[in-house]
Amino acid sequence: MSKSLPFLTVPSKLDGTMAGDVGFDPMGLSEIQTDLKYARAGELKNGRVAMLAIVGMLWQEYGPLLPGDVHQNRDPFAAVAQVGTQANLQIFLTIGIIELATFKQTYGDGEPGDIGWDFPGLLKKKTPAEVKKTKEQEITHCRLAMIAIVGAVTQTLIFHKPLLG
């Protein structure tokens, strides 16, 4: 039985070995996915982007802005258009470089989501139980951020008002 919904059966591939695995797969996506590590790496990558995006939306609306008229728009979507093509190309170029630099870690063997960027050594001094808890927290926050950014984008596009006011 699933931990998330007790009336559901747990798919065979969801054996609890990955962080955040509580047997929730009502659509049966784990059965059609050949490699769950690849799917988890994608979930973590999209979740990390969503965490940055929701913080970015809030920062754009309420945080201090860069000097100059081009940076003074509080609407996150209008601000993207206002800074122009060159600034947006720099962002996409940086994303592309990061994707190319971490390609083998994402699509190869190893721990899903580990792209070798633990510069401050956040996991090195932790016990295996603490590392497991940290990974559970990360995937939970990733999932929450993905839901949050969808809600924030929808609210902003429909009502054209700041998120918190």
Side-chain angles (χ1 to χ4, degrees):
M1 292 316 230
S2 171
K3 290 181 194 175
S4 59
L5 295 173
F7 55 86
L8 290 180
T9 58
V10 177
S12 60
K13 290 184 183 178
L14 298 180
D15 56 6
T17 56
M18 286 197 275
D21 178 5
V22 291
F24 184 75
D25 188 15
M27 293 175 52
L29 297 177
S30 64
E31 297 303 323
I32 60 172
Q33 183 71 38
T34 57
D35 184 11
L36 286 186
K37 285 187 175 185
Y38 171 76
R40 176 52 55 93
E43 184 180 18
L44 284 166
K45 185 179 286 188
N46 286 306
R48 291 168 180 167
V49 170
M51 287 190 278
L52 289 171
I54 194 68
V55 169
M57 276 190 81
L58 290 169
W59 188 275
Q60 182 68 30
E61 290 184 2
Y62 300 103
L65 301 175
L66 294 173
D69 290 338
V70 74
H71 301 293
Q72 298 308 308
N73 197 334
R74 291 284 180 187
D75 180 356
F77 296 104
V80 170
Q82 190 171 344
V83 295
T85 306
Q86 291 179 338
N88 290 309
L89 283 176
Q90 289 175 350
I91 294 169
F92 286 118
L93 181 64
T94 303
I95 292 169
I97 290 169
I98 293 170
E99 286 291 319
L100 289 174
T102 62
F103 184 83
K104 287 185 180 179
Q105 289 94 336
T106 302
Y107 300 104
D109 294 331
E111 181 75 24
D114 181 8
I115 55 174
W117 286 11
D118 189 12
F119 300 121
L122 297 174
L123 297 178
K124 289 179 184 173
K125 297 179 182 177
K126 293 188 176 192
T127 66
E130 291 173 327
V131 170
K132 183 180 178 187
K133 181 180 177 185
T134 301
K135 289 180 180 183
E136 293 271 345
Q137 290 171 336
E138 180 185 26
I139 194 68
T140 302
H141 293 144
C142 284
R143 291 169 179 166
L144 176 63
M146 287 187 278
I147 294 168
I149 194 64
V150 168
V153 166
T154 303
Q155 176 181 329
T156 301
L157 290 175
I158 290 174
F159 299 112
H160 301 287
K161 293 182 180 179
L163 291 174
L164 303 177

